[in-house]
Amino acid sequence: MINTGLEELEMMQAHRENKPAEVIELENKFNNKTIDYNPFSPTEAGAGMDIIFKKAKHNQLERKIHQLELLNKAYEVIKDAQGYILEVKEVPAGDATEPLNSTTDTIEPIEEAGAVEIWHDTAIKETTELPMPTHCLNDKKYCAKEYAGLMAISNRGSYETHRYLYKNKFNTAELAKDLGIGRVTLERNIKKLEKLDYNILDIENTKSGVVYKLHYGAIKEDGTLNKFVTINHLMLKTLACAFNSNAIKIYCLLRYMTTETEFNIMDNKWLAEQIGLSSNSKNNLDAITEIVAQLELCGFIETKKENIFKWDEKKGKEVPQITKKYRLRTFTEWQNIQNKVKNKKIEQ
């Protein structure tokens, strides 16, 4: 018998269900402040104790899957609508569907409902958000453009820690053309991504073909992920096709550092250093200025300038200095600006 700790978990949940409503309410308020972000959905953070039990059960069942695989036993997985594992059934080898394990993911059918477009056999949806890593932004070898392209046509993995993409799902030359680069460049940069120390891309041979595994976050000791952001699917596809790697790095950094409701101060020197560029180079600082201007022009961000006073050692007094503040634009704002740009092109 495989011990996964599920019995203890169910006892805890049963114990909680017998608690007074006011006690549960206090627990929920506390957990709403401390709960970790869950990559299944950007709106689940703060969902309270029920989400915690779901996550705990999901993690316990993932360990059961791992144990079954070590024993070379067949199994079936039942998930809920959010992707949480509800049950893992051990079945006779001949009756099992293909295991959803850490080395083989099943190819998902194209779900066209709600899709804005189909791109490389992938439904691009306005309601979908996809993850992008932030812990490797300062590595010059991190090809963010190519990674964004792969992420935009990827599928959700069996585990929370990765998404996946079968090489035979897309045509490398056609994807490269859409990204505005050559086929050889795309293939070379995918190899660079695989060799990065951050382990954001694994390439494996499976019975279903070569699979790219996109490990988008850093795994903490408790098994949850951090150091990544989520970007609207349509916006990510646009970034991959229209911007270079440094611009995509800057946008991911801004998503990590600011919000859609508040302006935050950041200067060009700091932005350059965070994406692996020297802040002593005028060319680099000019490149940051141009990237910011293009991101704003295309509706991804909004900036405004503000005078602040800083102490000047040479002058021995506070002097005014112009700073730039950044805010993320919402998907609706971005879409409206994109439509205006398209309409202007049509009029011309």
Side-chain angles (χ1 to χ4, degrees):
M1 173 132 180
I2 296 174
N3 180 14
T4 62
L6 286 175
E7 294 82 1
E8 291 85 347
L9 179 64
E10 289 168 356
M11 287 174 63
M12 288 170 59
Q13 192 158 9
H15 174 66
R16 178 180 176 265
E17 289 170 354
N18 292 326
K19 289 182 180 179
E22 55 270 19
V23 174
I24 294 175
E25 183 179 358
L26 287 172
E27 287 180 341
N28 286 343
K29 286 181 179 179
F30 174 77
N31 284 291
N32 284 347
K33 295 179 181 179
T34 59
I35 192 168
D36 283 315
Y37 178 85
N38 173 18
F40 279 135
S41 167
T43 61
E44 285 181 0
M49 291 294 290
D50 289 337
I51 292 296
I52 291 176
F53 280 115
K54 269 191 174 186
K55 285 184 178 181
K57 185 172 183 179
H58 178 92
N59 292 335
Q60 295 282 10
L61 288 171
E62 280 190 338
R63 285 193 281 274
K64 181 177 180 180
I65 289 173
H66 180 64
Q67 291 171 334
L68 287 169
E69 288 172 351
L70 290 176
L71 297 171
N72 200 27
K73 292 186 177 181
Y75 60 88
E76 288 184 349
V77 178
I78 299 174
K79 296 182 179 181
D80 65 13
Q82 286 74 44
Y84 289 107
I85 300 175
L86 299 176
E87 186 178 358
V88 176
K89 294 180 180 180
E90 186 177 345
V91 297
D95 297 337
T97 56
E98 184 177 3
L100 298 176
N101 54 46
S102 60
T103 57
T104 304
D105 289 289
T106 57
I107 300 176
E108 297 177 354
I110 302 173
E111 297 181 4
E112 297 190 14
V116 178
E117 62 178 293
I118 303 298
W119 190 55
H120 297 281
D121 289 337
T122 302
I124 308 294
K125 297 183 179 181
E126 295 181 353
T127 55
T128 301
E129 295 210 352
L130 295 177
M132 285 287 287
T134 57
H135 56 300
C136 52
L137 295 180
N138 64 351
D139 194 318
K140 292 182 180 179
K141 294 180 181 178
Y142 168 47
C143 306
K145 181 181 184 72
E146 289 78 357
Y147 197 83
L150 295 178
M151 181 63 74
I153 59 174
S154 68
N155 295 310
R156 180 195 291 174
S158 305
Y159 295 88
E160 294 184 36
T161 57
H162 76 276
R163 291 181 66 86
Y164 73 95
L165 171 64
Y166 279 96
K167 188 177 180 180
N168 57 19
K169 176 188 175 181
F170 68 97
N171 183 292
T172 306
E174 290 180 2
L175 178 60
K177 183 179 178 181
D178 286 347
L179 298 180
I181 58 179
R183 177 186 59 81
V184 175
T185 299
L186 176 57
E187 291 175 345
R188 181 180 66 243
N189 288 345
I190 287 175
K191 289 180 181 178
K192 284 184 182 179
L193 289 168
E194 183 188 19
K195 293 177 182 178
L196 281 183
D197 294 334
Y198 298 94
N199 189 35
I200 59 173
L201 176 67
D202 285 334
I203 302 177
E204 298 179 4
N205 285 311
T206 72
K207 62 183 180 181
S208 299
V210 175
V211 64
Y212 298 135
K213 288 194 170 182
L214 305 164
H215 301 279
Y216 51 84
I219 302 177
K220 297 191 292 184
E221 290 183 0
D222 62 0
T224 59
L225 297 181
N226 64 356
K227 297 184 179 178
F228 70 97
V229 294
T230 59
I231 302 174
N232 176 275
H233 200 171
L234 193 55
M235 294 174 77
L236 183 62
K237 183 227 171 185
T238 303
L239 284 167
C241 293
F243 289 86
N244 63 25
S245 283
N246 282 339
I248 295 171
K249 286 181 179 183
I250 289 291
Y251 183 68
C252 288
L253 178 62
L254 293 175
R255 285 202 72 85
Y256 194 80
M257 296 300 300
T258 189
T259 69
E260 295 176 349
T261 56
E262 297 180 358
F263 283 88
N264 289 310
I265 297 175
M266 281 165 272
D267 62 37
N268 282 7
K269 287 188 175 182
W270 185 83
L271 291 173
E273 290 167 358
Q274 300 310 304
I275 65 168
L277 299 179
S278 170
S279 59
N280 296 321
S281 166
K282 183 179 182 303
N283 288 340
N284 287 345
L285 298 181
D286 288 345
I288 297 296
T289 299
E290 179 61 23
I291 287 171
V292 168
Q294 290 300 317
L295 286 172
E296 184 164 27
L297 180 66
C298 295
F300 288 93
I301 61 173
E302 181 184 4
T303 68
K304 66 179 181 180
K305 293 180 180 179
E306 186 175 287
N307 275 325
I308 62 171
F309 285 87
K310 284 191 173 183
W311 182 260
D312 189 308
E313 291 290 344
K314 292 182 179 179
K315 295 182 178 181
K317 63 178 182 179
E318 289 188 336
V319 296
Q321 183 176 339
I322 297 176
T323 61
K324 184 172 281 188
K325 289 186 170 184
Y326 295 83
R327 178 185 75 87
L328 301 174
R329 287 198 181 273
T330 65
F331 172 72
T332 302
E333 289 177 314
W334 172 82
Q335 199 171 40
N336 290 337
I337 291 173
Q338 289 283 310
N339 289 336
K340 287 179 182 178
V341 172
K342 290 176 183 176
N343 290 336
K344 282 184 179 181
K345 289 181 179 180
I346 292 172
E347 290 174 1
Q348 293 173 354

